[in-house]
Amino acid sequence: MPKEFSRIDRIGDQIQRELAQMIQRDIKDPRLGMVTINAVKVSRDMGYADIYVSLLTTEDLTEDSPQVQDSLAVLRKASGFLRGQLGRAMKLRMVPHLRFHFDSLPGKSRRIDSLIDEAVGRKPAVDRSDDTESEG
């Protein structure tokens, strides 16, 4: 019977929690927007950790947006510092190299949601008015 979470998954979860705090607390660059870490995928040999981030804004952003490019540049420049801080915080013998990527999934999901609303409307999937009349 397999384990629920492998060691790599647990390390990825801990890296996600620690990085979220470090980015908020330690990086003071004004070019860095409100960054959310959506996922961390650690390679099997723990050589690399791919960190997927999104930015909290009211507009839909793509990988090519200047705001996204600036934030990714700041994070990539600070990756050595963040890696050192992770090593001290997590007490790992080998800390993976951090690779930051923009996660466009939240924008795509908002777009799909708006398309569904446009096609179907905002009515509920199940009409509850029939259920209340039959109960009484």
Side-chain angles (χ1 to χ4, degrees):
M1 187 163 134
K3 298 178 186 176
E4 283 188 35
F5 293 105
S6 68
R7 179 172 185 260
I8 297 295
D9 292 337
R10 290 192 310 268
I11 289 173
D13 289 343
Q14 188 175 1
I15 287 174
Q16 183 174 354
R17 284 190 304 273
E18 296 287 339
L19 272 180
Q21 289 177 352
M22 286 178 201
I23 288 172
Q24 181 182 14
R25 184 183 61 221
D26 298 334
I27 299 181
K28 301 295 184 200
D29 195 313
R31 295 176 296 163
L32 187 64
M34 293 288 292
V35 174
T36 303
I37 298 177
N38 295 341
V40 175
K41 295 181 182 175
V42 180
S43 64
R44 286 217 176 280
D45 64 353
M46 286 190 46
Y48 292 95
D50 291 311
I51 295 113
Y52 295 91
V53 299
S54 63
L55 296 174
L56 296 177
T57 62
T58 55
E59 60 200 49
D60 288 335
L61 297 173
T62 63
E63 181 85 34
D64 301 326
S65 301
Q67 189 176 7
V68 170
Q69 291 298 321
D70 287 345
S71 294
L72 285 177
V74 169
L75 289 172
R76 288 174 180 151
K77 187 176 179 190
S79 65
F81 168 74
L82 292 171
R83 184 175 181 229
Q85 294 294 97
L86 271 177
R88 283 186 276 288
M90 294 178 59
K91 297 179 179 65
L92 289 175
R93 185 177 302 175
M94 183 177 163
V95 180
H97 291 276
L98 306 178
R99 298 188 293 194
F100 291 94
H101 308 281
F102 178 67
D103 190 5
S104 59
L105 189 61
K108 289 178 184 176
S109 63
R110 279 194 303 269
R111 169 103 171 101
I112 290 172
D113 195 33
S114 68
L115 288 173
I116 290 171
D117 288 344
E118 183 180 313
V120 178
R122 278 275 181 200
K123 60 185 179 189
V126 177
D127 188 17
R128 298 281 183 196
S129 62
D130 295 336
D131 294 342
T132 57
E133 292 172 5
S134 62
E135 289 175 6

